[in-house]
Amino acid sequence: MHIPVRQHNALRRAFSAVLLGIVAAAAIADDYLEKGGFTEEEKNSFSYVFLGAVTRLNTGDVDSAMVMLERCREIAPEASETYFFLADCYRQKGQDSLKVLMMRKAAELSPENITYKEALLPVYLESNEVDSAIAVAEEIVGGTPERTDMLQLLLQIYSFKKDNAKCLETLNRLEVQEGQTEQLTMSKVQLYNAMGEDKKAYSELKSLVKNHPLDLNYRVMLGNWLLGKDRKKEAMAEYRAVLTEEPDNEAAQMSMMDYYRSEGLDSVADFHRDRILLSPKTQQSTRMLLLKQFIRQQEQSTTDSTAVLALFDRILEGKQPDTQILELKLAYMTMKKMPEDSLKTVLQQVLDQRPEHAQARFELIRMAWGKDDHEEMIRLAQPALQYNPDEWAFSYFLGVAYFLNDQLDKCIESLVAASEHVDETKEKELAVEMYSLLGDAYAKTGRPDDAFTAYDNCLRLDPEKIPCLNNYAYYLSEENRDLDRAAAMSLKTIKAEPNNSTYLDTYAWILFLQGRYEEAKIYIDLAVKNFDETQDNSVIIGHRDEIDRKLEAAKGK
């Protein structure tokens, strides 16, 4: 089992030739050789081979580096840096026992070298030699007591060993270096609780309160601890003292609410809950938490939404820092399947407070679309060009609304502006719809060449876009241009939707223009047979009559 050491500085240094660097390594080697009484030739030989080994190691040539480091051992058997880098070689080769041996040897030869000791720590921890790791860390802290990173590492190791006494000792040493903090105090309190030392835990909390008299939340923490020990009167005294000094203290009110709820005094608990919810000083995260809890409670006890909506309304009477409460209310109303008009009211409130809220605007446009309220779609989509300039879907919706409202020039203006900015790779579907509608708008305003360019752009992105294929084919037939291509496109549409009267009519009319009257008759009759009675079918009837007249005339000849 390995000790779970989290992002600890000492453990992130591990083994690497880069730790010291070539220059630093050379300096260490030279220092050792000077003290060891080596000849100038031996010094030069060691430095040359050693630097070569480090260079090889830095390039990943571990085998060559090991050969050269072994040569260094022959020249200078007591050079600690050789063992340090050999340890890294064995690590990379997965030979853990030799890695440990080499790293330990390096630290023994240079006991004053903190870098070696720190690098030895992960070696011991990876090998689960916990006591050895403790000894090294304690040795480092003994020489440098300000090393709080080492004290934190020791705390983790002692916690792993479940050595509460040593954990407390280490926390006290950290407190000497960092001063009293909430985190250190609470860690000590937890340990004292685990050891059954309630008096010492209480003493720690009292000390924290005494040393930080302006932070009333520490008194609340003390009250919570007392409540947990069933010392209810003392706990309530702490809460009341806090609320006397700071009536809107959120933590104290929450604790009071939880206390009364646990005592079965729900009406008193609800009073404190509402007081927290309605206080302008309450953090929005707390308000959201309490509301969600209340909704869960109501859902478990009743299906009646009246109480929940009433509480939402009371809260929303006060000024809110954001739209979170409105959005939660909307989510609740949606869950309860409330009428669309009610949802629309809340969505509009969200939008009034946050005009840049794209999702609320999208949803309102969807509702307007469902009611064929094109003017409302325009009203909603127009401001989005200012508040959501990168959401080109709004330009498409605006174009749709203008198109349906017969404001074709504005439709084209909106869609052209969007098409110049839309990212076709990321918003392909939007671009396809945009080009298709732009083609229709151009065609209706008598600009066939522009229409065909837009259709081509649409089909470039989606060659199987059926509505575009139909409209492109139809307007080509209207211009009596490229009828073979028009017929091929139209044939695709009726293969995709063989009972679509509009598509059948388009194909029949193209066949008629090509002089294929008998075939045209077959498809126009199918178009009539599949009439959509909710639509205006006068164009289809006109085409049928024209085809029939042509066939009658042909028979008369």
Side-chain angles (χ1 to χ4, degrees), residues 497-505 508 520-535 537 540-541 543-544 548:
E497 298 184 33
N499 297 320
N500 187 305
S501 61
T502 299
Y503 298 167
L504 289 164
D505 171 66
K521 174 63 174 172
I522 294 170
Y523 286 99
I524 200 65
D525 285 346
L526 285 171
V528 172
K529 180 181 177 182
N530 289 280
F531 267 168
D532 181 350
E533 300 296 344
T534 64
Q535 294 183 354
N537 295 300
I540 298 176
I541 293 170
H543 286 164
R544 182 198 61 187
D548 285 345

Side-chain angles (χ1 to χ4, degrees), residues 475-510:
Y475 285 117
L476 279 172
S477 73
E478 287 284 281
E479 294 292 314
N480 205 17
R481 289 164 56 175
D482 207 350
L483 293 179
D484 288 342
R485 185 186 180 200
M489 288 192 291
S490 183
L491 184 59
K492 274 189 177 183
T493 69
I494 60 174
K495 284 181 178 179
E497 298 184 33
N499 297 320
N500 187 305
S501 61
T502 299
Y503 298 167
L504 289 164
D505 171 66
T506 298
Y507 190 54
W509 188 245
I510 294 169

Side-chain angles (χ1 to χ4, degrees), residues 164-181:
N164 291 342
K166 279 292 186 181
C167 284
L168 282 166
E169 178 188 317
T170 307
L171 285 167
N172 286 327
R173 291 157 77 184
L174 277 165
E175 199 167 66
V176 169
Q177 298 300 324
E178 298 181 346
Q180 188 181 37
T181 66

Side-chain angles (χ1 to χ4, degrees), residues 67-99:
V67 171
M68 300 181 83
L69 288 169
E70 289 297 341
R71 174 61 184 145
C72 289
R73 286 177 71 185
E74 293 175 8
I75 299 170
E78 301 297 304
S80 60
E81 57 270 28
T82 302
Y83 295 94
F84 180 80
F85 286 103
L86 274 171
D88 191 27
C89 291
Y90 286 121
R91 177 191 65 82
Q92 293 191 51
K93 294 178 77 67
Q95 295 176 266
D96 290 346
S97 59
L98 289 172
K99 172 190 70 177

